[in-house]
């Protein structure tokens, strides 16, 4: 374990130094001008996350996310090269994932969409008895989270690269998860894009089959129309029960993120939802 345990202050400070754009994955090299070498494959030897891990193995469907292969800093790239073989997995949909072996027997919570990973690292530090499998497609965030895990001695974090639906459907066995977290997913605010929202009846029905009895489903959003959809969809799933009659208060274990704070400053209302898998 690290001699410097993770705290909200240290994790937030590390995050503030990171930046990303919407270009193809590149590495910011340690040149005096810090000029990235555009177009160079980041992991030509396969030691890091793949650009399209599922490839053509599975049908192309409407995706609830946009792949974000943006600029990766030198430190993020180094963390990915060193730690991916041990703590990372590509979602190729070709073989099941042995969670017991991957997490040394810890109960596992799946977090879909962790951004830069600060909140994930804080929750992992607060609950070392629980494994967190963070699923995302944002390469800088993957590298940043792995770097946070190493620096703060968080051995209960793993990172999955790719489509969470393929992960749930093809790679995780029934009743294998101790929880599911979806914090501030893309709200796709335009009506014609609502079909891209992650929290849909089909997704919730699939996820429920992968949850062990008593597993907690925790969603949060600062987009009120999406919160209403979440409440409607989760309430309609017979395998789940709402722990509250309506929305839930923010539980202490979910950190207040920088992104959330920005939403609150804009007057957005944050809603949490807490549901439990029925026995």
């Amino acid at each position: 374990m690290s001699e410097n345990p993770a705290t909200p202050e240290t994790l937030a400070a590390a995050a503030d130094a990171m930046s990303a754009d919407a270009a193809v994955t590149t590495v910011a090299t340690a040149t005096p001008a810090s000029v990235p070498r555009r177009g160079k494959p980041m992991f030509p030897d396969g030691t890091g996350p793949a650009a399209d891990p599922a490839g053509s193995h599975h049908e192309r469907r409407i995706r609830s996310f946009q792949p974000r292969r943006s600029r990766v800093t030198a430190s993020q790239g180094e963390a990915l090269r060193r730690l991916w073989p041990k703590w990372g997995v590509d979602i190729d949909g070709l073989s099941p994932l042995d969670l017991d072996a991957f997490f040394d027997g810890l109960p596992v919570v799946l977090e879909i969409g962790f951004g830069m990973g600060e909140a994930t690292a804080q929750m992992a530090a607060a609950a070392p008895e629980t494994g967190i499998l963070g699923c995302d497609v944002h390469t800088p965030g993957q590298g940043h989270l792995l770097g946070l895990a190493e620096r703060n001695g968080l051995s209960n974090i793993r990172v999955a690269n790719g489509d969470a639906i393929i992960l749930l459907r093809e790679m995780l066995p029934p009743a294998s998860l101790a929880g599911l977290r979806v914090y501030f997913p893309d709200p796709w605010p335009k009506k014609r894009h609502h079909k891209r929202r992650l929290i849909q009846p089909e997704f919730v029905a699939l996820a429920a089959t992968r949850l062990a009895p008593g597993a907690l489903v925790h969603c949060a959003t600062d987009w009120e129309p999406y919160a209403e959809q979440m409440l409607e969809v989760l309430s309609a799933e017979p395998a789940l029960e709402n722990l509250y009659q309506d929305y839930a208060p923010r539980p202490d274990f979910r950190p207040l993120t920088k992104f959330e704070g920005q939403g609150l400053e804009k007057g957005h209302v944050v809603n949490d939802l807490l549901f439990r898998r029925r026995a």
Side-chain angles (χ1 to χ4, degrees), residues 127-274:
E129 72 283 357
T130 299
I132 300 179
L133 177 59
C135 178
D136 210 308
V137 293
H138 187 215
T139 316
Q142 294 168 350
H144 185 45
L145 177 56
L146 288 175
L148 285 174
E150 181 182 53
R151 289 193 297 275
N152 293 285
L154 305 176
S155 60
N156 56 332
I157 290 176
R158 305 290 184 271
V159 174
N161 170 53
D163 192 329
I165 292 179
I166 294 177
L167 173 66
L168 287 164
R169 189 182 63 206
E170 308 292 344
M171 299 178 66
L172 296 180
S176 58
L177 294 173
L180 173 66
R181 296 168 180 166
V182 183
Y183 298 153
F184 304 98
D186 194 326
W188 295 103
K190 295 181 180 179
K191 187 174 181 179
R192 68 177 183 270
H193 292 156
H194 286 183
K195 60 189 176 183
R196 297 180 180 273
R197 288 176 173 174
L198 179 64
I199 306 301
Q200 306 276 3
E202 297 81 3
F203 168 79
V204 172
L206 170 63
T209 66
R210 276 27 183 184
L211 296 171
L216 191 67
V217 177
H218 184 198
C219 299
T221 180
D222 67 334
W223 192 256
E224 288 189 85
Y226 197 5
E228 294 169 359
Q229 177 177 327
M230 288 178 173
L231 182 60
E232 178 182 355
V233 170
L234 291 168
S235 298
E237 170 52 52
L240 302 177
E241 60 178 338
N242 195 346
L243 297 185
Y244 296 82
Q245 292 185 345
D246 196 31
Y247 299 113
R250 181 177 69 87
D252 292 339
F253 65 79
R254 183 177 73 75
L256 182 68
T257 67
K258 182 178 180 181
F259 173 85
E260 182 180 358
Q262 292 172 344
L264 292 171
E265 290 175 358
K266 296 176 182 176
H268 295 185
V269 175
V270 175
N271 286 297
D272 284 76
L273 302 96
L274 288 169

